[in-house]
Amino acid sequence: MSDFLPVSKADMAARGIDQLDFVYVIGDAYVDHPSFGHAIISRVLEAHGYRVGILSQPDWKDDASITALGEPRLAFLVTAGNMDSMVNHYSVSKKRRGTDAYTPGGVMGKRPDYATVVYCQLIRRTYRQVPIIIGGIEASLRRMGHYDYWSNKVKRSILLDSGADLISYGMGERSIVEIADALSSGIAVSDISFIAGTVFKTKDRELASYDAVELPCFDEIKTDRAAYAKSFSIQYSNTDPFNGKRLFETYDRGRMVVQNPPAKPLTQMEMDDIYALPYMRTYHPSYQKAGGVPAISEVKFSLVSSRGCFGGCSFCALTFHQGRIVQSRSHDSILQEAKAFVKEPDFKGYIHDVGGPTANFRKPACKKQLTNGACTNRQCLFPTPCKNLDVDHSDYRELLRKLRRLDGVKKVFIRSGIRYDYLIYDKDRGFLRELCEHHVSGQLKIAPEHISDAVLQKLGKPSAAVYEKFVHAYEQVNRQLGKEQYLVPYLMSSHPGSTLKEAVALAEFLRDMGYHPKQVQDFYPTPSTISTCMYYTGLDPRTMQPVYTAVDPHEKAMQRAMIQYRSPQNYDLVREALVRAGRTDLIGYGEKCLIRPRNPGPGQMEHAPAQKLSAGRRKDAGKKKSKQQHQHNPHNPHKKTKQHAGKREHKL
């Protein structure tokens, strides 16, 4: 009979368990759904015969909280949760967030900052000899020396700061079973140095350096930014499971941290098996009184189609975590999960998403990746598509057709993001047509991020011309379908490479579109991305060439304000940015001006933009509580229109 895994001694007794093999300490609420990493890892271990209990959000201020399930036979497992705990807690301006979607009732403060380290220290104070295995996004992206934005310094490998014994990095299904089998066979945790997808520590230089590449030592990278960039470049070039090398980093007192190559990608059958495990597909019933766990709402009726991404965006950590090789589930596996939705009493007929890191990636970028791995010296899509790139939406298109035909399904949405450049490279417009006809509900969210080619180059994104080509294709298809549908472009301010000049150019582009973004993503330097390396070092690790980076909070505020130049509260920042950029020609009453002068004449508005508003937009502007916002009209990218504002989802 399916049930939640034990969360208390009473649950253990009901199952006849005297001692668990693993106690899994998690920073999230316990949600037994395959969109949550702890659910997958715990169910995979259970499927291999191991007894796992879940210790969710223990009180790190109370040592006794870690003893709730007793001492495990093999090890403690620790994860901060589905999000990095610091990203979960703080905005890019380092202000404390008000809610936590992964906690019952959305309450903030139920997990500590740097949760992985704090939980491990909590365990060590009580259980000094029990092995600790850490994993998840927080541990995975801090596995070697790394720049930490929140403390503004280079930190050691989380393996040393936490006192844990091993890191299972990446998605972890392969490595965690191998670790469990090794421990169960009697191998000491200190001797587990041979498993792909793990990081271990040692003082044996011969063991560390065997068939390995030595990174600059920690003392060097924490004082020399060029050395840090070099180290990051080596790491980034060794993230492929087929051609990645073993790496090691030295510390004081003869200590070394060794990273084994990544685990091999899962086969389709293995992915199907993982998603067929007996998940309860919801949060633990003990959270009902608190109002449940908010994060379940968007994923409960969503389908994971694939993992991995060959998009190569500089600001994304997927290369370090899931890798560049796309792995996918079979149609039958996904259809079986969708059919289960229909039986749920609260299913209204709407599948919220069918995708992954990039929805329209359903297979590796080219045929050789599954045998030889991804190229170390080139990207699949950037700066131009590789000649070997296999652009084909036929499999994804057929999957969506099958889902649409299911009894009880009214609509199938795609919300996890479409890679518009890959789509536009497809000479067959059939997928674009079906996307617009069946899977867009008035608006499609895409991520050009910027419009300056200089900034796009640092972002790892295609040129502005590719975006414009997609806009016109989207316009044409919707016109043929007789639909009035819009694009919501996500934009990023202050990314490395963006000066005030580029920020002004982006504002001019928005002016010409008649688009006023409701939300803007200011660049957030999260661990283990190319962009974060550029932010900290001022160097592009791919070329070692200098990169201008806005690190001053005031300049970052100006660049952000330029994207929302129409907002009255941004007037002073916009004016200062225009003066600094030498673009005072954009302050005035002309058609192309962004803002009025400081002291307007009689009857003239100080803050209003200079261009004339249409009657429809004047009417819309007068509705203070209107649910509509000015958005991009793809039927004419330089025409003004109105459209529902969409929220940006931040997925790690």
Side-chain angles (χ1 to χ4, degrees), residues 60-72:
W60 69 97
K61 300 171 186 174
D62 178 9
D63 286 4
S65 67
I66 206 67
T67 66
L69 295 176
E71 180 177 337

Side-chain angles (χ1 to χ4, degrees), residues 67-134:
T67 66
L69 295 176
E71 180 177 337
R73 181 176 71 91
L74 296 178
F76 279 96
L77 308 178
V78 177
T79 177
N82 261 23
M83 286 179 67
D84 184 288
S85 63
M86 300 305 286
V87 176
N88 178 278
H89 287 171
Y90 300 97
S91 69
V92 64
S93 59
K94 300 183 183 180
K95 293 180 180 178
R96 189 81 170 180
R97 300 190 195 273
T99 59
D100 180 353
Y102 294 92
T103 292
V107 176
M108 176 55 74
K110 293 296 185 180
R111 81 184 88 205
D113 288 355
Y114 303 107
T116 302
V117 171
V118 174
Y119 288 150
C120 288
Q121 292 173 347
L122 177 65
I123 294 166
R124 277 285 175 253
R125 288 197 292 271
T126 301
Y127 301 106
R128 295 186 179 278
Q129 302 303 319
V130 179
I132 301 176
I133 317 300
I134 58 177

Side-chain angles (χ1 to χ4, degrees), residues 16-182:
I17 299 173
D18 294 324
Q19 184 182 31
L20 295 162
D21 295 316
F22 295 98
V23 172
Y24 201 168
V25 181
I26 63 175
D28 291 339
Y30 176 27
V31 183
D32 193 26
H33 186 283
S35 290
F36 288 72
H38 63 253
I40 289 182
I41 294 299
S42 59
R43 289 297 185 182
V44 165
L45 284 169
E46 182 189 47
H48 282 79
Y50 294 101
R51 297 164 298 182
V52 185
I54 304 294
L55 184 51
S56 170
Q57 298 184 322
D59 182 356
W60 69 97
K61 300 171 186 174
D62 178 9
D63 286 4
S65 67
I66 206 67
T67 66
L69 295 176
E71 180 177 337
R73 181 176 71 91
L74 296 178
F76 279 96
L77 308 178
V78 177
T79 177
N82 261 23
M83 286 179 67
D84 184 288
S85 63
M86 300 305 286
V87 176
N88 178 278
H89 287 171
Y90 300 97
S91 69
V92 64
S93 59
K94 300 183 183 180
K95 293 180 180 178
R96 189 81 170 180
R97 300 190 195 273
T99 59
D100 180 353
Y102 294 92
T103 292
V107 176
M108 176 55 74
K110 293 296 185 180
R111 81 184 88 205
D113 288 355
Y114 303 107
T116 302
V117 171
V118 174
Y119 288 150
C120 288
Q121 292 173 347
L122 177 65
I123 294 166
R124 277 285 175 253
R125 288 197 292 271
T126 301
Y127 301 106
R128 295 186 179 278
Q129 302 303 319
V130 179
I132 301 176
I133 317 300
I134 58 177
I137 193 80
E138 183 165 287
S140 186
L141 301 185
R142 290 172 163 82
R143 55 189 187 254
M144 307 300 270
H146 58 280
Y147 171 69
D148 180 76
Y149 170 67
W150 301 274
S151 62
N152 193 30
K153 66 180 183 181
V154 176
K155 287 196 166 189
R156 304 186 303 174
S157 164
I158 196 171
L159 197 58
L160 299 180
D161 283 347
S162 67
D165 296 286
L166 282 175
I167 300 173
S168 169
Y169 73 87
M171 298 304 284
E173 296 100 339
R174 287 192 187 283
S175 59
I176 198 63
V177 173
E178 292 186 56
I179 292 168
D181 290 348

Side-chain angles (χ1 to χ4, degrees), residues 456-474:
L456 290 168
Q457 195 277 333
K458 299 304 178 188
L459 281 157
K461 301 287 285 188
S463 70
V466 177
Y467 170 65
E468 292 285 4
K469 185 177 180 181
F470 174 77
V471 167
H472 291 299
Y474 185 75

